[in-house]
Structures are given as C-alpha cells and as structure tokens.
C-alpha cells in the first residue's frame, strides 16, 4: 500500500462496536439514540482528524434508518468528509452491520453531520480545502 503524503489530510475514520443488550430496545434492535451517538462520534473524529482543530456538531441532516441492527452484530461506523466550507465540514456517516458468524454485511443507517472547526477562543476558524483528487490505496 502506498503511503498517503502528510500534506493530504485524512478524510475517513472507521470505528467498530458490538451491539450488547444495553444498546437495544425491547425488540432487541439498536436504539436510534445509540446509533446517533456512534454516528456523531464518527463525524467528530473524521472532522477533527481532517482539520486538526477542535470541532463541534452544528447540524445533523437527514438520517435514514434503513434496516434494524440486532444484538450480537458488529457495527462498523464509517465517517467520511464529503464537503468542506470555510470553517464547516460535511461528514457522511454510515452504519454497516455485520454478522460475525456468516460475514454478511448490510448498510443499515446513513446520515450527514455538519461539523464546525473552532479556534482557541471558540470561534469558527478556517479548515483545509478538500483535495480534488485523493489517491486510492
């Protein structure tokens, strides 16, 4: 794998969780609030990593819960910077459920979060432009 030069900020973060009973509702599926918390965390990490700044959530756009996520499934949360403004970053976040026994993976939830970079005084500050062409692996 070719290393990515340090001048190109990383645009993606991946996290993995396992769904335990305390994460679920009475149907044994992931609470929507827990899903949103994991998604917001991934958006935060992606934006902070990309900008190398303190970031806060400004907005969560439409979040689509397509399929339920069940107890015992692994959830991969992928946050990816898809748009950059002066101080804002739009992060697309996906929750992908994986059955650890069969390896079957399904996209279950997708949403967008707008994160704002802050300076040391807590004011919005500029972030790097999104590169037009990011080299692949």
């Amino acid at each position: 794998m070719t290393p990515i030069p340090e001048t190109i900020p990383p645009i993606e973060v991946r996290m993995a969780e396992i769904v335990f009973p305390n994460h679920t509702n009475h149907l044994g599926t992931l609470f929507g609030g827990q899903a949103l918390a994991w998604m917001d965390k991934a958006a935060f990490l992606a934006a902070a990593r990309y900008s190398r700044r303190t970031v806060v959530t400004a907005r969560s756009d439409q979040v689509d819960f397509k399929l339920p996520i069940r107890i015992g499934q692994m959830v991969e949360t992928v946050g990816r910077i898809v748009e950059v403004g002066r101080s804002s970053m739009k992060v697309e976040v996906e929750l992908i459920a994986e059955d650890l026994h069969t390896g079957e993976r399904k996209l279950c939830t997708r949403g967008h979060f707008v994160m704002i970079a802050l300076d040391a005084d807590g004011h919005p500050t500029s972030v790097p432009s999104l590169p037009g062409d990011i080299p692949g692996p």
Side-chain angles (χ1 to χ4, degrees), residues 77-92:
T77 307
V78 181
R80 186 176 305 107
I81 306 291
V82 294
E83 252 178 69
V84 173
R86 191 190 75 73
S87 63
S88 66
M89 293 154 282
K90 187 172 188 178
V91 184
E92 179 181 70

Side-chain angles (χ1 to χ4, degrees), residues 19-31 69-71:
V19 179
F20 288 114
N22 64 314
H23 298 134
T24 65
N25 60 28
H26 63 290
L27 300 174
T29 61
L30 186 66
F31 276 122
I69 301 171
R70 304 195 183 284
I71 289 175

Side-chain angles (χ1 to χ4, degrees), residues 80-130:
R80 186 176 305 107
I81 306 291
V82 294
E83 252 178 69
V84 173
R86 191 190 75 73
S87 63
S88 66
M89 293 154 282
K90 187 172 188 178
V91 184
E92 179 181 70
V93 182
E94 296 177 334
L95 292 183
I96 301 159
E98 180 175 330
D99 183 302
L100 292 173
H101 298 287
T102 66
E104 181 181 16
R105 294 170 52 89
K106 292 182 179 177
L107 173 63
C108 294
T109 308
R110 177 183 285 141
H112 290 89
F113 292 74
V114 176
M115 311 301 286
I116 304 294
L118 303 177
D119 64 17
D121 296 321
H123 298 106
T125 189
S126 61
V127 296
S129 297
L130 193 60

Side-chain angles (χ1 to χ4, degrees), residues 8-50:
I8 299 174
I11 63 163
E12 186 176 276
V13 68
R14 291 174 178 263
M15 305 178 338
E17 297 282 351
I18 187 80
V19 179
F20 288 114
N22 64 314
H23 298 134
T24 65
N25 60 28
H26 63 290
L27 300 174
T29 61
L30 186 66
F31 276 122
Q34 182 65 63
L36 289 171
W38 288 344
M39 294 173 80
D40 188 46
K41 183 178 182 181
F44 165 82
L45 289 171
R49 187 178 190 207
Y50 174 80

Side-chain angles (χ1 to χ4, degrees), residues 40-57:
D40 188 46
K41 183 178 182 181
F44 165 82
L45 289 171
R49 187 178 190 207
Y50 174 80
S51 67
R52 300 297 179 196
R53 302 272 188 216
T54 297
V55 300
V56 293
T57 305

